[in-house]
Amino acid sequence: MTGTVWDDLVGQEPAVQVLRRAVEDPTAMTHAWLITGPPGSGRSNAARAFAAALQDPSGALSSHACATALAGTHPDVTVVATEGVVIRADVARPLVELAQRSPSEGRWRVIIVEDADRLNETSGNVLLKAIEEPPPRTVWVLCAPSPQDVLVTLRSRSRSVALRVPPVEAVADLLVRRDGVEPGLALVAARAAQSHIGIARRLARDPEARARRSRVLALAASVRGVGDAVLAAGELVDVAQTEAKAATEHRDAAERTELLRSMGAEASATLPPALRSQVRQLEEEQKRRATRSQRDVLDRAMLDLLSFYRDVLVVQLGAEVDVVNAEHEDQVRAVAASSRPEQTVHRMDAIGLARTRLSGNVAPLLAVEAMMIALRPQV
């Protein structure tokens, strides 16, 4: 295997330069890092690449240390990624103990917290002392969309490295090079994903994902009145629930089977009272994961709608920039011709408000219904 751990960080040359220098120069190294950047910029990839290079400064993909660090199997690289709405204190406490241990095999003990913006005040305070004064060979790498999303006590003790939105062409080239995607499809997927690498990859490789996205964009032109808006909202929430269930159902069943097996109760028709609390705890965790999955699907749909109205505004203003949704340009132009720029901005504001409400735990159907009603044509 040729190449280095940095190869997939497309369009992030300034950030890579900072991280590589820290690997190579002890005076540039520090105990806590905060990697920030918009969704899809590669925060997690950058954190894992940094962890791999800390274990083997050559950064060669052929290196065992680098390969295991990237794969998540290196004994001294721990990755924490929550599937709940927040990272709770009971998840944070074991990390404090882990941080005190010397590396067992590698050069550094690296703890990556992928969703540091989901640390609340309680769990953040649990980690504070460990991040503030870690042992000499422990490194914390926090990831978040922006520094403002992280508790001020944590970000003030970390060195920030900012990622940027990579160019569409760079993302398309990565899909061609890494995944063997046809160049034309890779460019369409990268543009539709607005340079979000993970979403671009899914759109390029999954025809069903492209079809779901097309259905979401079609809703923008289908809403003519309040009745249409309510029906469209119900459809969108149903699709999100179905997709979230499909993504978690098999895993939920496997986790329950494994838990029962470990407790020696897999063949029992009725669980003993002493074991019910553990099963109930697992079910509650799975429910939180399903809730986050549904909200993530809805948020992605809202971002797709935002990209559609961005294109509408581009056409209305005659801006000389490419549209994001080139394959839906006829729909874009039809909506642009039947509305004014002021209404397009109003619609984009409504989508932004719905995203805020969703993140604030408003019932998804209520948030989406209010958004859809705001998208209907105005006199």
Side-chain angles (χ1 to χ4, degrees):
M1 186 183 296
T2 59
T4 73
V5 297
W6 309 106
D7 291 348
D8 285 354
L9 297 179
V10 294
Q12 307 297 348
E13 290 78 11
V16 169
Q17 185 177 5
V18 170
L19 296 175
R20 292 186 79 154
R21 183 165 179 265
V23 170
E24 297 162 2
D25 181 0
T27 64
M29 187 60 187
T30 189
H31 64 282
W33 297 79
L34 174 58
I35 298 178
T36 61
S41 56
R43 298 188 301 260
S44 177
N45 287 344
R48 290 170 186 262
F50 185 41
L54 284 172
Q55 305 302 349
D56 182 350
S58 75
L61 290 174
S62 57
S63 157
H64 176 73
C66 288
T68 53
L70 291 178
T73 57
H74 194 290
D76 298 319
V77 177
T78 302
V79 180
V80 180
T82 183
E83 291 175 315
V85 177
V86 298
I87 297 177
R88 294 174 297 156
D90 59 352
V91 174
R93 289 191 186 96
L95 300 179
V96 175
E97 180 185 346
L98 179 66
Q100 301 306 311
R101 301 179 193 167
S102 298
S104 61
E105 179 181 300
R107 301 172 70 245
W108 297 87
R109 178 167 298 284
V110 185
I111 302 175
I112 300 171
V113 182
E114 288 193 344
D115 300 294
D117 53 310
R118 295 182 185 268
L119 287 164
N120 58 23
E121 194 154 343
T122 303
S123 55
N125 286 336
V126 168
L127 294 183
L128 181 59
K129 190 69 173 177
I131 290 178
E132 192 174 35
E133 298 176 5
R137 305 307 293 179
T138 294
V139 179
W140 290 85
V141 184
L142 311 180
C143 303
S146 74
Q148 290 70 34
D149 292 323
V150 179
L151 293 169
V152 64
T153 50
L154 297 180
R155 72 171 184 256
S156 65
R157 290 160 174 80
S158 307
R159 181 177 177 186
S160 185
V161 176
L163 305 184
R164 58 193 181 187
V165 177
V168 167
E169 293 76 13
V171 175
D173 179 68
L174 177 65
L175 295 176
V176 172
R177 172 169 51 85
R178 186 181 65 183
D179 300 303
V181 177
E182 187 271 322
L185 176 58
L187 189 59
V188 168
R191 189 175 285 122
Q194 299 178 74
S195 294
H196 188 301
I197 296 172
I199 292 173
R201 190 180 189 210
R202 188 171 75 246
L203 289 174
R205 300 178 63 183
D206 184 359
E208 289 188 7
R210 296 196 295 274
R212 282 194 298 270
R213 186 175 188 278
S214 293
R215 287 200 300 273
V216 169
L217 297 183
L219 293 175
S222 69
V223 175
R224 312 305 303 172
V226 173
D228 291 338
V230 172
L231 291 174
E235 180 185 346
L236 192 56
V237 172
D238 285 345
V239 167
Q241 287 176 334
T242 301
E243 191 168 338
K245 184 178 180 181
T248 60
E249 191 172 30
H250 178 73
R251 180 174 174 184
D252 288 352
E255 286 177 343
R256 181 182 173 87
T257 299
E258 176 59 26
L259 177 62
L260 294 177
R261 187 198 61 76
S262 67
M263 296 188 300
E266 57 185 329
S268 302
T270 304
L271 284 175
L275 303 181
R276 290 173 190 167
S277 63
Q278 297 181 53
V279 174
R280 188 160 52 248
Q281 183 179 353
L282 173 64
E283 289 172 346
E284 289 173 355
E285 183 65 35
Q286 291 174 341
K287 185 177 179 181
R288 282 191 290 268
R289 184 167 65 205
T291 298
R292 179 181 171 184
S293 180
Q294 181 191 359
R295 291 175 188 272
D296 286 348
V297 172
L298 282 174
D299 189 65
R300 185 63 238 172
M302 291 176 185
L303 287 174
D304 289 336
L305 286 171
L306 270 178
S307 75
F308 181 88
Y309 286 112
R310 174 263 188 200
D311 288 346
V312 170
L313 193 60
V314 163
V315 172
Q316 289 174 328
L317 299 179
E320 296 182 358
V321 296
D322 293 332
V323 295
V324 170
N325 300 287
E327 69 278 26
H328 299 277
E329 190 167 351
D330 289 344
Q331 285 177 284
V332 167
R333 293 192 176 278
V335 173
S338 64
S339 60
R340 302 184 310 278
E342 295 82 1
Q343 185 179 359
T344 303
V345 172
H346 171 72
R347 286 165 161 168
M348 296 174 77
D349 286 343
I351 297 171
L353 178 59
R355 294 184 69 208
T356 300
R357 287 170 171 167
L358 201 62
S359 66
N361 287 331
V362 171
L365 185 58
L366 292 178
V368 177
E369 280 183 352
M371 177 191 75
M372 284 299 181
I373 290 171
L375 297 186
R376 74 191 195 282
Q378 303 292 318
V379 177

